[in-house]
Amino acid sequence: MLIAKKLKQQNKIAQAYNNIGYVNYKKNNCTEALINHQLALKLRTKIGDKEGIAQTLNNLGVVYDQLGNYPDALNNYFSSLKIREKLKDKKGIQESYNNIGNIYMYQEKLKEALKYQFLSIKIAKELGDKQSIGDAYTNIGIIYIDQKKFTEAIKSHLVSLKILEEIGDAIGVGGAYGNIGAAYMYKGDYQKALENYFKSLEIRKSLNHKAGVAYSYLGIGMTQLEMHNPKEAKKYLEKTLQISKELNIKRLIKYSYKNLTKADSALTNYKGAFENYKIYVIYRDSLTNEETERKSLQTVMQYEYDKKEALIKEETEAKVFQSKAEKKQNQIIYSSIIVFLLTILSIIVIGFYFYKKKQKTEKLLKDKELALEIADNERRRISADLHDDLGAGISSIALLSNRIQFQESMDDVRVDASYIIENTKKVSQKLT
């Protein structure tokens, strides 16, 4: 119980650090944001809160993204993605795909950027997450602009705008109008570009969304440059630079100096143009130098390697499990066959036993019947013999008895009487 309470308490502290980090990020105090997110990560790692670890790594990636530190941003985003994939956290995976796609977009790796944005939008649609669907269409539209597919970009941003208006995302709506403006500007329709940029600026100012306001100013300034109004363009670009420095948004600072170089050059302020260009190169190289590219590539390769290694491990474990299952199944089959054969053998043995017993019983019955038949025949023979002998004897006695009646001589009577006595003895003997 005490351990559970301690873990619960530590989890609350970690969440508090995370919240403080988020508030500092929103205030553009990135140093404090990093410190608090790292404290949250340390605690969550200690208590083994994997879901919390994944979220904190993602938050660190967002802060590094804001600072223009793309290698560290990618490293944290991929680390978060790896955990979320293990946890099968679809919402988290979708968020990671979106963030990774954004970094590739900033690095102008457009093929990879599109790949991750489409992965993100696929999951968002499965989840019915309109906010994420709208964000993904926004990012896809920006990538299409970079690919000079302006018609597709406008379509994508209009889809995003409709979704964001439906869910009441005012900041997102402001961004959508800005992105539509950018697509029209690159397409060469400057009036529609300015119309959408000013809609964007109005919404962002009403929300006090400083970063958004800076991007709207940048878009208006770039459009004015395309319309050959360098003086008007410079006014908006300087406003962009001021806010981007205040918020320390390196990516926006880079774009500001790049376009101020063009404005000063058009105004024949070559010295100013040269100074602006030098600063632009510094920011450009800090965001996209060889070391940065190397670290980013290393992060991606490590993620892909870990993913493949995990897949191989999973496949190996699956094969071992399948092998064990097959072995067990084979054992069951062999055991079943043996039991079946033993059962059949038992039935045959028992059947043979009863068959032999039946044969023996039938033989005894036949022998008994034969004996009875022989005895009966013998009895009949004896009876017949006896009948014949008795019949002859009795007939003789009867004949002699009749003859005595007519004998005149006593001697003849005695002779017949002795015959009668002798035959009577014979008959008597036959009967006994």
Side-chain angles (χ1 to χ4, degrees):
M1 182 65 75
L2 288 172
I3 294 171
K5 283 184 178 179
K6 190 176 179 181
L7 286 173
K8 191 175 181 181
Q9 191 67 25
Q10 286 179 325
N11 190 46
K12 285 182 178 179
I13 295 168
Q15 187 60 48
Y17 279 131
N18 184 72
N19 294 340
I20 294 167
Y22 179 75
V23 170
N24 277 286
Y25 163 72
K26 283 294 182 182
K27 290 181 177 179
N28 207 50
N29 189 353
C30 291
T31 303
E32 281 299 313
L34 284 175
I35 290 169
N36 281 280
H37 283 314
Q38 284 165 350
L39 287 169
L41 180 63
K42 187 176 180 181
L43 263 179
R44 283 172 165 170
T45 303
K46 186 179 178 181
I47 63 177
D49 178 11
K50 290 188 177 182
E51 189 176 347
I53 292 168
Q55 186 58 55
T56 304
L57 286 168
N58 184 77
N59 293 340
L60 284 166
V62 171
V63 179
Y64 282 124
D65 180 351
Q66 179 78 348
L67 289 169
N69 185 346
Y70 300 144
D72 283 339
L74 265 184
N75 184 47
N76 281 280
Y77 285 149
F78 273 114
S79 296
S80 176
L81 175 60
K82 194 188 301 182
I83 296 169
R84 285 166 165 177
E85 285 177 334
K86 287 181 181 177
L87 294 173
K88 302 189 186 305
D89 175 11
K90 291 186 82 171
K91 173 58 184 165
I93 292 167
Q94 180 272 321
E95 182 182 33
S96 294
Y97 284 154
N98 181 73
N99 291 335
I100 291 166
N102 286 342
I103 296 296
Y104 281 133
M105 181 172 63
Y106 302 146
Q107 292 180 322
E108 298 179 5
K109 296 176 180 177
L110 304 182
K111 187 177 178 181
E112 290 87 346
L114 267 182
K115 171 189 168 184
Y116 279 97
Q117 290 302 337
F118 278 119
L119 286 171
S120 171
I121 207 168
K122 182 176 181 290
I123 297 175
K125 285 180 177 179
E126 288 173 5
L127 296 171
D129 182 354
K130 287 191 173 183
Q131 178 70 62
S132 297
I133 294 169
D135 291 342
Y137 273 117
T138 294
N139 296 330
I140 290 167
I142 294 169
I143 296 166
Y144 281 145
I145 289 172
D146 290 339
Q147 291 181 328
K148 304 188 187 310
K149 298 176 180 178
F150 306 123
T151 303
E152 289 90 335
I154 292 167
K155 286 179 182 177
S156 186
H157 286 308
L158 286 171
V159 171
S160 174
L161 176 62
K162 184 180 178 183
I163 293 169
L164 296 170
E165 283 177 335
E166 284 177 2
I167 63 176
D169 180 1
I171 291 176
V173 170
Y177 277 119
N179 292 325
I180 293 167
Y184 277 119
M185 181 193 71
Y186 285 111
K187 194 178 180 182
D189 192 339
Y190 303 127
Q191 290 304 321
K192 282 191 176 180
L194 285 176
E195 182 184 326
N196 282 280
Y197 274 134
F198 277 111
K199 280 184 181 179
S200 168
L201 180 61
E202 186 182 350
I203 293 169
R204 286 164 163 174
K205 277 185 174 180
S206 70
L207 298 169
N208 195 30
H209 185 217
K210 286 188 174 183
V213 169
Y215 274 107
S216 294
Y217 283 146
L218 176 66
I220 294 167
M222 290 172 67
T223 305
Q224 292 292 348
L225 275 175
E226 293 295 326
M227 294 172 72
H228 306 292
N229 298 323
K231 189 176 180 180
E232 189 71 12
K234 188 172 180 179
K235 182 176 73 174
Y236 285 103
L237 292 170
E238 284 176 341
K239 288 181 179 181
T240 304
L241 182 61
Q242 182 185 346
I243 298 172
S244 59
K245 280 184 174 180
E246 181 188 331
L247 300 177
N248 193 30
I249 304 174
K250 290 182 179 180
R251 184 166 56 253
L252 198 50
I253 295 170
K254 180 189 79 170
Y255 289 134
S256 299
Y257 278 115
K258 180 181 181 180
N259 287 285
L260 280 168
T261 300
K262 293 178 181 180
D264 280 334
S265 180
L267 291 166
T268 67
N269 179 10
Y270 300 118
K271 184 180 178 181
F274 181 63
E275 291 300 320
N276 287 329
Y277 181 75
K278 285 194 295 183
I279 299 171
Y280 158 69
V281 170
I282 291 169
Y283 277 95
R284 181 197 66 188
D285 291 348
S286 70
L287 292 169
T288 56
N289 59 29
E290 287 185 9
E291 180 63 17
T292 299
E293 288 292 309
R294 186 187 65 78
K295 286 183 179 177
S296 297
L297 183 61
Q298 186 179 15
T299 298
V300 176
M301 288 176 69
Q302 185 63 45
Y303 167 75
E304 292 295 337
Y305 172 78
D306 291 343
K307 191 173 181 180
K308 285 179 182 177
E309 188 178 41
L311 186 63
I312 290 167
K313 185 181 178 183
E314 190 178 321
E315 286 176 351
T316 303
E317 288 176 352
K319 284 179 181 178
V320 170
F321 177 78
Q322 187 179 1
S323 177
K324 286 182 179 177
E326 286 177 354
K327 188 176 179 182
K328 188 174 181 180
Q329 189 177 8
N330 288 336
Q331 286 177 340
I332 292 168
I333 291 169
Y334 295 148
S335 299
S336 300
I337 291 170
I338 291 168
V339 169
F340 175 74
L341 291 174
L342 286 172
T343 304
I344 295 297
L345 184 61
S346 300
I347 292 169
I348 290 169
V349 170
I350 293 168
F352 183 74
Y353 168 76
F354 281 109
Y355 172 73
K356 294 300 289 182
K357 189 174 181 181
K358 184 181 177 183
Q359 272 192 329
K360 189 176 180 181
T361 304
E362 287 177 350
K363 187 174 183 297
L364 288 171
L365 287 171
K366 284 181 179 179
D367 289 347
K368 189 175 181 181
E369 287 174 1
L370 183 60
L372 288 171
E373 187 180 348
I374 292 168
D376 188 54
N377 290 337
E378 183 64 20
R379 181 185 61 77
R380 287 179 181 178
R381 185 188 65 77
I382 292 168
S383 179
D385 291 346
L386 180 61
H387 181 271
D388 291 342
D389 289 343
L390 286 174
I394 291 168
S395 296
S396 296
I397 291 169
L399 181 63
L400 290 170
S401 295
N402 288 328
R403 196 172 67 174
I404 283 176
Q405 295 176 17
F406 301 103
Q407 291 289 357
E408 295 178 358
S409 171
M410 284 300 294
D411 291 330
D412 290 331
V413 171
R414 289 190 192 99
V415 171
D416 288 337
S418 66
Y419 282 130
I420 289 169
I421 292 167
E422 185 179 347
N423 284 323
T424 300
K425 286 180 180 178
K426 286 180 180 180
V427 171
S428 178
Q429 284 175 357
K430 292 284 183 184
L431 293 170
T432 57

